[in-house]
Amino acid sequence: MRNWRHRGWNAGKLSGIKPSVELPPIILAWFASRGWQPRRHQLEMLEAASERRHALLVAATGAGKTLAGFLPSLAELVAATRAPSQAGVQTEKKDPLSGTGPQPPLGNTIEPQAGLHTLYISPLKALATDVRRNLLIPIEEMGLPIRVEARTGDTPSDRKARQRVKPPHILLTTPESLSLLLSHEDSVHMFATLKRVIVDEVHAFANGKRGDLLSLSLARLQTLAPVVQRVALSATVADPDDYRAWLAPNGDIDQVRLVEGEAAAEPDLTILLPEGRVPWAGHSGQHAIPQLIEEIGRNNITLIFCNTRFLAEFIFQKLWDANEPKYAIGIHHGSLSVEARRKVEGAMADGKLRALVCTASLDLGVDWGNVDCVIQMGAPKGSSRLLQRIGRSNHRMDEPSRAILVPGNRFEYLEAQAAYDAVAEGMRDGETFRPGSYDVLAQHVMGIACAGPFEEGELLAEVQSALPYSALDAATFARVIAFVATGGYSLKAYDRFQKLVKDPDGRWRLSHPQFAAQHRFNAGIIVDAPMLEIRFRNGRKLGKVEEAFASTLSPGNTFTFAGMALEVESIKDLDLIVRAATKPATNIPSYMGARLPLTTHLAGRVRQMLTDRLGWARFPDEVREWLEMQAYRSQMPKAGQLLVETFPHEKRHYMITYPFEGWNAHQSLGMLLTRRMESRGLMPMGFVASDYALGVWSLKPITDPRPLFSADILADEFVDWVESSYLLKRAFREVAVISGLVERQHPGKRKTGRQVTFSTDLIYDVLRKYEPDHLLLEAAWADARTRLTDVGRLGDLLDRAADTMLHVDLERVSPLAVPLLVMIGRESVAQGSVDDALLMEAESLAGVAMTP
């Protein structure tokens, strides 16, 4: 029970509010025995359950959201038991996720009626630590005979099989595991008793493909258990009505009660300034390493968040190099082995670490009450994400969480200040909801077919009740089913795509049982880049690196991973065999995961800062001087304007624009501009993009940039570029895997990344030639437009350029252009380190730019 005093959910007051629904005496007695009372929002969740309404709870981190979500289930399950004679009876503690659950005191309880009562769905597989603290300990201490189990990809197969026959009262799972459960014939019986579904951290995945899958699963559960109540929990929601609509059957937000928690203490947030000067370029923040060591020494536990796994490894190594006090520092990210992550999590829970360097792998679900401080390395990228990470500190609702921002360069300082202001004002980033993806729908349809025959019209109505698919028409749904059934017109001649057939009564069913096993073996929404397992010769696994990185290695090469210097011995199949290196490592694995985008909300705030000259007084001297010199030598764009600068530098002609629309949109625009410049004889040589700006250089000068930015670039160059580039093939590979067209693995054998890529590229070429309107090509185009190219923000950028472009022609580089130009040819370095050559180049450019 260590650290329970830190928990906000069990230390509230009723504030004079008399609840309309009473908690069972045993639960009230358990609270009272610790001097606690339920919080208002926890009782309101109980009221929503009594009203048979769905509910969305929005409450600060540390406010007890998890207990609030489970409280109605506990109350109902308690009502189905004979209460023990004494609250808080201590019982023998079993492994919380072993499937046995707590043991009731003998002779004075009966187990609630058999059957699954509550599903808890989390975006994370690592549920055990948090669930034990939030749910199992109260159950054990009250002596309740309630069985709680987890079901994820890490759950043993024999336990999974037993769970379907004898499910626990409360099952903890993920969207993918729920989808697989629904693909079994016995799902009709397993979910018949279901009363409640709790979706935790709903903001983390509702508006993505995992959210599409879960929305379809919720629709299915509503069919199997019509009385089921849906509950969603979140700490960082900008517009609750968006999530109420997503949660509600048929998008009817009036069916969902909004419950808002009490306001939490304001966070204690600071921006760390370097002891020298704010760097011109780089994203690592390594200049602050000595100050970080000092900060670690001041705290019990410090969480250090990095935006990428590469940066996490890099900062961890730099901290160790400077760790003269010998503090215990760990590292945690998604590419480490499960064993390595569990070891670190255990060390944190036991108070054995002074600091932990981590990535988004710990954004959610961390509930260590003795974390004193959170440090964000580099730009925060969004106020909601920053608030989520800040909440990992302290985790006491009534006391401020403490966090420090460490910007890597001058633009990142502006972004950090924008995030600081947004947090102070309580502003969140808005999320964009888009129509559901066809590849996810295809996977779901196949899963339903695995569970038994279905009637097309009935399934369409069920699917339409999920908000992402509410606009789906019968003709499009028929195309989806035709794809699942035969692969489409161009592929129907191949037996391996003949998965569904129609019965004489018009219902669809599997053509052969083997397709059910194939589906369950390959289903899932997360499509990682092809990975190789890192292991020692004795078989010990360390984690994974991407196949693309491993292909650059040869025996004898060294690299750093999990804080260790490793030497490559050999590469065998999908294993990278290593040993401890006897010489310093020369490389750090890089990963091709999606960049964290600068949110539109923060981008707008940064643009406002550029024109708010009175506000510059609060900035560090070097940042203020940088902006003042920019205003003197060039111009600052007014609200809504798009500044475009042109100037010569080292026998090249540069065009720099400052849209602040994020790396994806800028990268896409760079590709399009160079294509258009090529066609107009300007002889472009290359471009460089950041979250804030885009720079293009050429052999011939650009005298009038306006025609280059015309909106028709999205109708002409964009289509040609996407179709001729790797982007569409990359998007097609993902939708082909998710939809089930291409298998990732067979029992006992997993395809290499090259094999999967070869299969999808071959099918892609066939479909492009013979069936260009194929459903998956349409799905790939949707992905390429939204996720890969950020075409929405690109369109907004071009709209702004058409009416508000501010072109300034200069005789030399401008101050605002320096951070971008320094990155030319050094993008890979910028992701992790700022080496001496980079610093020298920055100072040289700055000398030119900052001279009046």
Side-chain angles (χ1 to χ4, degrees):
M1 293 209 309
R2 183 181 52 77
N3 293 329
W4 268 42
R5 63 185 179 84
H6 297 314
R7 295 290 303 147
W9 57 256
N10 49 30
K13 296 181 179 180
L14 293 180
S15 305
I17 298 175
K18 182 175 179 58
S20 61
V21 179
E22 293 285 348
L23 279 168
I26 188 174
I27 297 180
L28 286 174
W30 179 80
F31 272 94
S33 68
R34 283 151 182 79
W36 301 333
Q37 293 187 61
R39 291 188 180 272
R40 171 187 53 76
H41 59 265
Q42 293 170 334
L43 296 175
E44 286 188 17
M45 293 295 286
L46 202 67
E47 290 176 341
S50 70
E51 297 166 357
R52 304 311 308 161
R53 293 184 68 189
H54 310 292
L56 169 65
L57 171 60
V58 180
T61 300
K65 292 187 298 297
T66 305
L67 182 65
F70 278 114
L71 208 53
S73 297
L74 293 178
E76 291 171 15
L77 289 167
V78 163
T81 69
R82 182 168 64 245
S85 57
Q86 181 180 357
V89 176
Q90 295 294 319
T91 64
E92 178 187 2
K93 295 182 180 180
K94 304 288 185 179
D95 176 2
L97 300 180
S98 66
T100 57
Q103 301 301 304
L106 295 177
N108 49 4
T109 66
I110 57 174
E111 184 171 308
Q113 181 177 353
L116 180 64
H117 181 282
T118 296
L119 264 176
Y120 168 85
I121 300 168
S122 166
L124 302 174
K125 289 200 298 184
L127 303 170
T129 301
D130 217 31
V131 167
R132 178 167 184 81
R133 227 182 337 252
N134 288 300
L135 180 61
L136 289 174
I137 290 179
I139 288 174
E140 291 175 353
E141 292 191 343
M142 285 184 277
L144 300 174
I146 297 172
R147 292 185 297 115
V148 181
E149 299 180 23
R151 184 187 183 95
T152 70
D154 297 330
T155 304
S157 57
D158 59 336
R159 192 181 307 164
K160 288 181 178 179
R162 179 188 46 77
Q163 286 171 342
R164 290 177 21 232
V165 177
K166 187 180 179 182
H169 301 108
I170 299 175
L171 184 64
L172 320 165
T173 190
T174 62
E176 291 80 4
S177 290
L178 171 59
S179 178
L180 288 174
L181 274 173
L182 290 169
S183 74
H184 290 276
E185 294 179 0
D186 51 18
S187 62
V188 173
H189 306 291
M190 179 177 182
F191 294 108
T193 60
L194 186 67
K195 298 296 188 296
R196 186 163 293 104
V197 180
I198 303 169
V199 182
D200 205 357
E201 309 287 7
V202 65
H203 64 276
F205 60 107
N207 61 339
K209 288 193 177 186
R210 297 182 81 196
D212 293 346
L213 183 68
L214 181 54
S215 70
L216 292 167
S217 295
L218 290 175
R220 186 61 173 171
L221 288 174
Q222 205 78 45
T223 298
L224 300 179
V227 299
V228 70
Q229 179 195 21
R230 304 180 185 187
V231 173
L233 314 174
S234 179
T236 55
V237 166
D239 187 350
D241 283 353
D242 284 345
Y243 288 88
R244 291 172 68 199
W246 180 88
L247 185 66
N250 298 300
D252 182 2
I253 64 173
D254 291 335
Q255 296 186 52
V256 180
R257 177 170 174 174
L258 173 63
V259 178
E260 295 182 281
E262 300 96 325
E266 293 295 325
D268 177 7
L269 180 62
T270 57
I271 300 176
L272 182 66
L273 297 179
E275 295 172 347
R277 294 169 60 83
V278 178
W280 283 99
H283 300 294
S284 69
Q286 77 167 56
H287 58 80
I289 291 296
Q291 293 161 281
L292 264 59
I293 292 292
E294 293 177 5
E295 189 63 41
I296 290 170
R298 283 191 283 266
N299 303 317
N300 291 316
I301 295 180
T302 303
L303 276 182
I304 303 172
F305 277 102
C306 300
N307 289 340
T308 65
R309 288 165 284 183
F310 177 95
L311 183 56
E313 291 279 358
F314 176 80
I315 291 297
F316 179 75
Q317 191 60 51
K318 291 298 179 183
L319 285 172
W320 264 114
D321 292 344
N323 189 15
E324 293 183 4
K326 306 298 181 184
Y327 297 130
I329 303 174
I331 184 170
H332 189 289
H333 59 70
S335 291
L336 296 175
S337 66
V338 173
E339 295 77 13
R341 295 198 304 273
R342 297 294 174 270
K343 184 177 180 180
V344 169
E345 291 163 8
M348 279 288 288
D350 294 337
K352 295 179 180 179
L353 293 179
R354 292 294 296 274
L356 182 60
V357 181
C358 56
T359 62
S361 61
L362 292 186
D363 270 6
L364 310 172
V366 180
D367 197 9
W368 295 311
N370 50 354
V371 173
D372 302 272
C373 181
V374 163
I375 296 175
Q376 166 66 45
M377 300 300 296
K381 298 303 170 194
S383 59
S384 294
R385 181 180 295 109
L386 178 60
L387 275 167
Q388 186 78 40
R389 291 179 172 181
I390 290 173
R392 303 303 107 200
S393 162
N394 198 350
H395 221 277
R396 296 182 285 274
M397 182 179 172
D398 303 319
E399 299 178 25
S401 298
R402 183 166 168 265
I404 299 172
L405 294 174
V406 184
N409 59 54
R410 298 186 185 200
F411 268 125
E412 285 194 353
Y413 176 85
L414 296 180
E415 183 182 332
Q417 187 65 58
Y420 178 97
D421 294 344
V423 168
E425 297 169 18
M427 297 299 293
R428 309 290 189 268
D429 304 303
E431 291 86 10
T432 301
F433 284 78
R434 82 281 179 274
S437 300
Y438 293 154
D439 51 334
V440 177
L441 179 57
Q443 182 179 130
H444 178 72
V445 168
M446 185 63 188
I448 297 301
C450 293
F454 66 86
E455 197 277 321
E456 186 171 327
E458 292 176 356
L459 184 57
L460 172 60
E462 180 181 297
V463 166
Q464 289 171 329
S465 72
L467 184 66
Y469 298 94
S470 57
L472 184 73
D473 58 62
T476 303
F477 189 58
R479 290 178 63 205
V480 173
I481 290 188
F483 161 72
V484 176
T486 67
Y489 172 78
S490 300
L491 303 175
K492 63 169 52 179
Y494 298 91
D495 290 342
R496 65 191 178 103
F497 299 122
Q498 304 296 306
K499 298 178 181 179
L500 303 184
V501 294
K502 244 184 182 180
D503 283 339
D505 62 0
R507 296 198 303 169
W508 290 98
R509 64 171 177 82
L510 289 181
S511 61
H512 193 282
Q514 72 182 26
F515 289 117
Q518 179 180 312
H519 168 78
R520 295 175 188 131
F521 210 58
N522 287 277
I525 297 303
I526 300 173
V527 181
D528 291 323
M531 306 286 273
L532 268 67
E533 192 86 52
I534 306 173
R535 65 176 178 85
F536 290 114
R537 196 183 302 171
N538 64 6
R540 178 190 166 197
K541 297 178 180 179
L542 297 177
K544 296 180 179 181
V545 292
E546 291 182 0
E547 192 176 63
F549 172 77
S551 67
T552 67
L553 301 175
S554 301
N557 289 161
T558 58
F559 65 98
T560 297
F561 185 82
M564 292 182 283
L566 304 173
E567 181 179 334
V568 177
E569 287 193 345
S570 63
I571 299 178
K572 296 180 179 179
D573 298 324
L574 295 179
D575 288 334
L576 179 61
I577 313 300
V578 300
R579 63 186 174 198
T582 58
K583 53 187 176 182
T586 58
N587 209 346
I588 297 177
S590 57
Y591 296 86
M592 294 299 292
R595 289 173 179 247
L596 294 177
L598 175 68
T599 63
T600 302
H601 171 217
L602 282 197
R605 284 179 173 269
V606 173
R607 281 196 292 265
Q608 290 173 2
M609 283 181 180
L610 295 179
T611 56
D612 179 18
R613 297 197 61 156
L614 293 178
W616 296 353
R618 60 179 174 153
F619 298 161
D621 289 345
E622 58 268 32
V623 174
R624 177 176 47 78
E625 292 166 1
W626 171 53
L627 297 180
E628 287 175 346
M629 185 58 70
Q630 169 68 21
Y632 174 76
R633 288 213 39 245
S634 179
Q635 289 197 47
M636 286 295 190
K638 296 179 182 178
Q641 278 186 329
L642 179 66
L643 174 63
V644 178
E645 297 176 330
T646 53
F647 52 80
H649 180 66
E650 294 184 347
K651 300 181 180 180
R652 298 176 182 176
H653 296 276
Y654 287 81
M655 178 178 69
I656 313 294
T657 183
Y658 305 92
F660 294 90
E661 293 294 352
W663 184 87
N664 264 355
H666 297 169
Q667 186 81 0
S668 300
L669 182 60
M671 290 286 188
L672 300 181
L673 286 176
T674 51
R675 291 174 71 94
R676 179 163 283 191
M677 289 169 65
E678 183 72 34
S679 67
R680 300 190 179 195
L682 293 172
M683 303 178 71
M685 300 178 67
F687 71 90
V688 63
S690 71
D691 270 333
Y692 319 105
L694 166 69
V696 183
W697 58 96
S698 59
L699 291 180
K700 292 187 177 182
I702 299 171
T703 56
D704 182 9
R706 196 173 302 275
L708 296 176
F709 288 80
S710 61
D712 61 2
I713 201 170
L714 287 181
D716 301 330
E717 283 88 350
F718 181 82
V719 174
D720 292 340
W721 166 52
V722 173
E723 289 186 341
S724 62
S725 73
Y726 74 97
L727 285 175
L728 202 54
K729 282 191 175 183
R730 174 181 163 192
F732 182 81
R733 173 183 173 271
E734 180 171 309
V735 300
V737 169
I738 290 175
S739 68
L741 184 69
V742 174
E743 299 173 11
R744 283 179 273 202
Q745 53 188 339
H746 296 278
K749 182 180 180 181
R750 186 177 180 89
K751 288 184 177 180
T752 67
R754 290 188 180 90
Q755 288 171 329
V756 171
T757 300
F758 177 78
S759 299
T760 57
D761 284 356
L762 187 63
I763 295 173
Y764 171 84
D765 291 337
V766 170
L767 295 182
R768 281 287 306 279
K769 184 175 181 179
Y770 296 105
E771 198 176 351
D773 60 348
H774 192 278
L775 184 82
L776 288 197
L777 289 179
E778 189 175 331
W781 252 108
D783 273 11
R785 289 175 62 86
T786 54
R787 294 192 305 112
L788 301 181
T789 64
D790 213 342
V791 73
R793 293 179 74 170
L794 182 56
D796 292 341
L797 191 168
L798 294 172
D799 288 343
R800 193 161 72 250
D803 301 319
T804 67
M805 180 180 290
L806 174 62
H807 176 211
V808 180
D809 191 40
L810 303 168
E811 78 284 355
R812 52 192 163 94
V813 60
S814 73
L816 215 57
V818 172
L820 188 69
L821 264 61
V822 173
M823 306 319 302
I824 294 175
R826 297 180 183 272
E827 290 88 346
S828 60
V829 176
Q831 291 173 5
S833 71
V834 184
D835 60 15
D836 292 340
L838 192 62
L839 290 171
M840 290 173 63
E841 185 173 339
E843 292 302 323
S844 175
L845 270 174
V848 175
M850 296 293 287
T851 301

